Amino acid sequence: MRDKIKVTLVQTSITWEDRDANLASLERSIRAIRAGSTDLIVLPEMFTTGFSMDARALAESMQGPAVRWMRAMAIAKRAAVCGSLIISDKGRYYNRLVWMGADGKSRTYNKRHLFSMAGEEKIYTAGKRKLTVMLKGWVVCPFVCYDLRFPVWTRATGRQTCDLMIFVANWPERRRHAWNQLLVARAIENQCFLAAVNRVGIDG
């Protein structure tokens, strides 16, 4: 049996390629959330940098400052925190969603469908495995931005059920109609709840 869960979406204007400024801005928003009042805090895609292809300059490891910051926020607010950022791992770059549990333990999902119109596939390595996590009895399936356009990848079939889909994004304003329609479609075809957060503002 599932308990009720509360999800907090943090939609923010991301400062272009400035991790410290973005973490400071996000921390002000998260600090305003009363500890224990939410179960999950969702941040946008590439929340530390904007949708940058300069992975060589901007990537950090899973032991880097942004992941440590996520751990501190999750523990302080007693809630899971998730969002994607640029990660360097074993010589490759990933647009990686980090799911940081309230206990400070992390799990990861590497974006499967890379956005070729921005040359993302030339810089980043595509993921191969989905991620499912349990949160208060809910099966949660997180995805990243362009994954939204691929219903076969996001579909819950057979034993692979999903109660709540999460999408984090850097989706352009001129395609907002597709964003809104596709979110509804993914929820309907999977017969599940869906929560999504996009960034706002202008990037580089």
Side-chain angles (χ1 to χ4, degrees), residues 99-118:
W99 178 282
M100 187 65 67
D103 58 1
K105 296 180 180 178
S106 66
R107 298 183 66 187
T108 62
Y109 165 74
N110 296 322
K111 184 178 181 181
R112 176 68 180 92
H113 295 94
L114 304 177
F115 189 56
S116 59
M117 284 181 277

Side-chain angles (χ1 to χ4, degrees), residues 40-71:
L40 172 61
I41 298 168
V42 186
L43 310 178
E45 178 185 23
M46 289 193 181
F47 65 86
T48 60
T49 60
F51 192 60
S52 175
M53 298 300 106
D54 193 3
R56 183 184 295 272
L58 299 171
E60 61 180 81
S61 73
M62 288 297 294
Q63 290 73 47
V67 177
R68 294 199 305 269
W69 174 87
M70 292 180 76
R71 181 172 291 109

Side-chain angles (χ1 to χ4, degrees), residues 8-79:
T8 301
L9 307 178
V10 183
Q11 186 176 38
T12 185
S13 178
I14 299 173
T15 303
W16 184 246
E17 296 184 345
D18 190 336
R19 181 193 64 210
D20 293 343
N22 289 313
L23 293 185
S25 175
L26 287 164
E27 184 161 342
R28 287 192 292 272
S29 296
I30 293 173
R31 291 291 184 191
I33 302 169
R34 180 170 52 84
S37 66
T38 190
D39 302 299
L40 172 61
I41 298 168
V42 186
L43 310 178
E45 178 185 23
M46 289 193 181
F47 65 86
T48 60
T49 60
F51 192 60
S52 175
M53 298 300 106
D54 193 3
R56 183 184 295 272
L58 299 171
E60 61 180 81
S61 73
M62 288 297 294
Q63 290 73 47
V67 177
R68 294 199 305 269
W69 174 87
M70 292 180 76
R71 181 172 291 109
M73 293 297 99
I75 292 172
K77 296 304 171 181
R78 303 198 299 274

